[in-house]
Amino acid sequence: MSRRYLFTSESVTEGHPDKICDQISDTILDTLLAHDPTSRVAAEVVVNTGLVLITGEITSKAKVNYIDLARQKIAEIGYTGEDNGFSTNSCAVLIALDAQSPDIAQGVDAAKEARDQTSDEALDAIGAGDQGIMFGFACNETPELMPLPISLAHRISRKLAVVRKTGQLSYLRPDGKTQVSVLYENNRPIGIDTILVSTQHAPTIGDISDDAAVQQKIKADLWDIVVQPIFADIDIKPDKNTRFLVNPTGKFVVGGPQGDAGLTGRKIIVDTYGGYSRHGGGAFSGKDPTKVDRSAAYACRYVAKNIVAAGLADKCEVQLSYAIGVARPTSIMLETFGTGKIDDDQLLELVQQHFELRPAGIIQTFNLRNLPAERGGRFYQDVAAYGHFGRTDLDLPWEQTDKVAVLKEALAQPLSAARS
């Protein structure tokens, strides 16, 4: 029986209060790892009107100026003038940091001498930094193997930032949210039902000061300059039945930290799959790679994406779980939702044979400690806005599909032979 339904995902711009916090947290992480790759970091940030609070637990040999890092990132995002109600030049930046708990650290510190070794004994000696569950997902709805709703929502959010920073729509301000509802039939996207954009803006545009006229101008500009261009390479496009909503309350002048307080790690669904896949609950930003909330979630995406890229399933979800201080996952789950070309149990065997899922192995596979230094002092901060997955604008190691050939080769022979 044919079934139609709507699925909706949202994104936020880099000027959203929660995303400001994520980006400052990951800027701190980048800087610490660039100077000391063994840094243990759990950086949390709070923003409110005129205030930035940096807190959490950090153990590092690096010496950094946290206040300068916060102000530089705030300026890069676009909060440089007092007309935003929050400015890099006038906000107070407070620091309240502790060292990592020794009881937590001992689970990862058990074998420091084995950190860069690749033997089974060395990788087994370094346990997970905490317990937890992580999910990864991929599907063939888009070229980047992401669900279409979150892919579109991120595209619109990124485009909002681009046209603001280039001055093409100079009246836009940094805060904003997007939301896209996609029509599905038989589990495949077939249309765009609703596009919602809420964007902070100046109170007037040129000589236009009437609120209704301002909103009419914004809506027309966003449709022509932001929305339509992001569908250029997508087969499914808005049509005459697509609703387009802009600033539904009538205006959005007061935004950013002046409008709402922000917290690190409060946009975990925006960071991942837009609700299309399950989520383990752990945030990413501000956490060094020993935190499996982050590194193992990247590994889950890597596994799922390679399976879909290899044509072994149309959709794939992977779950891992860990115990603190224990290297090997306590469980591995794989689900293809009836789209697998072979049995899910066979796919799981292939995963266990061909993917390294111990925390130290994940860190080595993706080079997670050294990438900030190798990329000029910034890596994690660039995924702190507009999603950690499906990023075609960034060279992310967990987005590589370098396991496709080995999966196809293993599939061509009996698993017992591949295992031997």
Side-chain angles (χ1 to χ4, degrees):
M1 174 186 249
S2 176
R3 180 184 175 228
R4 286 193 169 204
Y5 60 90
L6 298 174
F7 192 89
T8 303
S9 293
E10 72 160 351
S11 176
V12 298
T13 65
E14 62 204 63
H16 185 280
D18 295 329
K19 275 294 149 206
I20 298 172
C21 296
D22 286 341
Q23 290 166 95
I24 294 174
S25 293
D26 274 339
T27 299
I28 291 169
L29 175 65
D30 273 339
T31 305
L32 291 169
L33 288 178
H35 290 88
D36 175 13
T38 66
S39 297
R40 299 286 170 72
V41 184
E44 313 285 350
V45 175
V46 181
V47 296
N48 204 337
T49 303
L51 174 66
V52 178
L53 170 63
I54 300 172
T55 186
E57 298 80 42
I58 292 175
T59 301
S60 177
K61 293 182 287 228
K63 304 298 181 184
V64 302
N65 188 320
Y66 297 107
I67 294 175
D68 284 352
L69 290 180
R71 293 194 189 282
Q72 289 164 12
K73 178 52 67 172
I74 292 166
E76 179 185 312
I77 292 168
Y79 287 103
T80 55
E82 299 301 329
D83 58 336
N84 290 307
F86 177 83
S87 174
T88 184
N89 301 312
S90 60
C91 65
V93 183
L94 306 181
I95 312 295
L97 292 168
D98 294 312
Q100 185 181 47
S101 160
D103 294 338
I104 294 174
Q106 66 182 347
V108 184
D109 284 339
K112 288 184 179 179
E113 69 278 2
R115 191 176 314 280
D116 296 320
Q117 299 178 29
T118 58
S119 69
D120 276 345
E121 294 77 10
L123 296 180
D124 279 336
I126 303 177
D130 201 353
Q131 72 176 56
I133 59 174
M134 304 86 211
F135 286 92
F137 182 79
C139 64
N140 59 8
E141 292 182 7
T142 62
E144 64 270 29
L145 303 184
M146 287 287 285
L148 184 60
I150 188 65
S151 178
L152 294 176
H154 281 323
R155 283 184 179 219
I156 296 171
S157 289
R158 285 199 301 269
K159 189 69 171 178
L160 280 174
V162 168
V163 299
R164 170 176 61 86
K165 290 182 175 182
T166 61
Q168 192 172 9
L169 294 181
S170 59
Y171 58 78
L172 296 183
R173 297 293 180 261
D175 196 1
K177 302 179 80 171
T178 67
Q179 189 169 285
V180 179
S181 300
V182 175
L183 176 63
Y184 283 78
E185 184 173 51
N186 296 328
N187 295 316
R188 299 300 301 175
I190 62 169
I192 309 300
D193 182 83
T194 303
I195 297 170
L196 166 61
V197 180
S198 295
T199 180
Q200 188 186 12
H201 58 88
T204 61
I205 302 175
D207 58 357
I208 304 173
S209 58
D210 175 73
D211 284 347
V214 167
Q215 295 309 310
Q216 185 177 12
K217 168 68 172 170
I218 294 173
K219 185 173 184 178
D221 284 349
L222 292 186
W223 182 256
D224 292 337
I225 299 172
V226 174
V227 174
Q228 285 196 314
I230 69 106
F231 285 92
D233 61 344
I234 297 176
D235 292 335
I236 299 173
K237 302 181 188 298
D239 59 27
K240 63 181 181 180
N241 297 315
T242 300
R243 289 186 298 171
F244 181 47
L245 305 176
V246 175
N247 294 342
T249 63
K251 64 179 181 177
F252 184 2
V253 174
V254 178
Q258 185 183 27
D260 290 291
L263 298 170
T264 296
R266 201 161 59 176
K267 285 292 176 284
I268 59 176
I269 302 303
V270 170
D271 284 342
T272 52
Y273 307 100
Y276 199 102
S277 169
R278 286 172 283 198
H279 196 296
F284 299 157
S285 288
K287 295 179 179 177
D288 75 81
T290 66
K291 278 71 170 177
V292 283
D293 277 341
R294 180 171 215 156
S295 53
Y298 293 164
C300 288
R301 163 66 176 173
Y302 180 60
V303 173
K305 185 175 183 181
N306 274 272
I307 287 172
V308 174
L312 302 184
D314 296 335
K315 296 181 182 180
C316 182
E317 183 180 74
V318 175
Q319 186 205 44
L320 296 175
S321 68
Y322 292 87
I324 187 169
V326 179
R328 294 182 182 268
T330 55
S331 69
I332 307 173
M333 184 279 295
L334 185 147
E335 169 68 56
T336 60
F337 309 96
T339 71
K341 311 312 176 189
I342 61 173
D343 187 79
D344 284 358
D345 290 339
Q346 290 180 281
L347 277 176
L348 182 56
E349 267 197 81
L350 290 176
V351 170
Q352 292 169 323
Q353 291 168 22
H354 298 290
F355 290 87
E356 175 56 69
L357 298 175
R358 287 168 290 186
I362 295 169
I363 291 170
Q364 290 180 12
T365 298
F366 297 150
N367 198 24
L368 294 177
R369 292 185 186 279
N370 301 312
L371 281 173
E374 292 178 5
R375 300 194 181 182
R378 59 182 301 153
F379 175 71
Y380 293 103
Q381 61 191 281
D382 288 334
V383 293
Y386 312 118
H388 293 243
F389 306 119
R391 296 293 295 273
T392 58
D393 58 321
L394 300 173
D395 179 18
L396 303 178
W398 54 88
E399 290 295 313
Q400 302 302 313
T401 53
D402 51 358
K403 292 286 188 180
V404 166
V406 73
L407 289 174
K408 288 182 175 179
E409 182 180 351
L411 187 61
Q413 57 184 310
L415 286 177
S416 58
R419 191 160 43 244
S420 63

